[in-house]
Amino acid sequence: MKVILTEDVKALGKAGEIVEVSDGYARNFILKKKKGVEANSKNLNDLKLKKANDDKLKEEQYEAAKELGGKIEAGKVEMSIKTGEGGKAFGSIASKEIAAEVKEQMGLEIDKKKIQLKESIKTLGTHTVPVKLHPKVTAELKVIVTEEL
């Protein structure tokens, strides 16, 4: 019997896949526990429409991420930290502070988890920080760190 899985089933397949299973397994496990539906013409058509809708949503998210990436790369964020003798910085700038400054200075909402700092910024100068907005889109944000007066 052919079945369309509505959720992932271990050792069988992922949600949305069409799999061939024995009649008893389909009736007693997959259909009973609502892990899948029978692959009839109505359900196959519903699956096709759902996949088309998902593809459209993914494309819209990709386009939105590209647009946001362009805005991020066009702008810059200026921050200041306290320094001691010899330009030695007290403290550091982490992704949380960068996200807050991007919201304040550029008016863009960026999740701090998308800012990919290898380690906190501890030096003065211009730093390029990668921001992963989408699996295919990574923008470069300029962070200018100055001495606090």
Side-chain angles (χ1 to χ4, degrees):
M1 174 185 276
K2 284 193 175 195
V3 177
I4 301 170
L5 298 176
T6 54
E7 61 183 71
D8 295 353
V9 178
K10 197 171 185 177
L12 191 61
K14 297 198 179 289
E17 287 183 8
I18 301 169
V19 292
E20 181 78 38
V21 294
S22 68
D23 291 353
Y25 185 64
R27 275 194 310 272
N28 297 324
F29 179 72
I30 294 176
L31 299 176
K32 193 174 194 177
K33 297 202 185 250
K34 301 206 182 338
K35 294 185 180 283
V37 292
E38 189 177 342
N40 57 27
S41 60
K42 180 200 176 296
N43 291 337
L44 286 170
N45 193 36
D46 289 349
L47 175 68
K48 189 170 117 181
L49 291 172
K50 185 180 180 303
K51 280 188 178 179
N53 189 38
D54 289 347
D55 290 344
K56 184 180 173 196
L57 284 174
K58 283 181 185 176
E59 187 63 33
E60 287 174 1
Q61 289 173 344
Y62 175 67
E63 292 299 324
K66 275 181 27 181
E67 185 180 321
L68 182 60
K71 289 178 184 175
I72 288 172
E73 289 188 347
K76 64 182 188 283
V77 175
E78 294 184 23
M79 303 178 82
S80 60
I81 54 175
K82 289 184 179 178
T83 54
E85 279 184 41
K88 181 103 169 103
F90 293 129
S92 62
I93 297 174
S95 57
K96 183 179 179 182
E97 289 94 5
I98 293 172
E101 287 297 318
V102 166
K103 184 175 183 181
E104 186 179 308
Q105 293 180 21
M106 298 172 73
L108 300 174
E109 193 77 38
I110 297 178
D111 186 10
K112 68 178 183 178
K113 293 177 188 131
K114 295 183 182 211
I115 297 173
Q116 301 193 315
L117 267 180
K118 288 186 175 66
E119 55 186 45
S120 299
I121 298 173
K122 297 178 184 173
T123 58
L124 301 176
T126 304
H127 300 272
T128 306
V129 179
V131 181
K132 189 164 186 154
L133 302 169
H134 187 272
K136 297 177 186 173
V137 179
T138 302
E140 299 286 327
L141 174 66
K142 267 190 184 172
V143 179
I144 300 168
V145 182
T146 57
E147 187 175 346
E148 194 172 290
L149 301 174

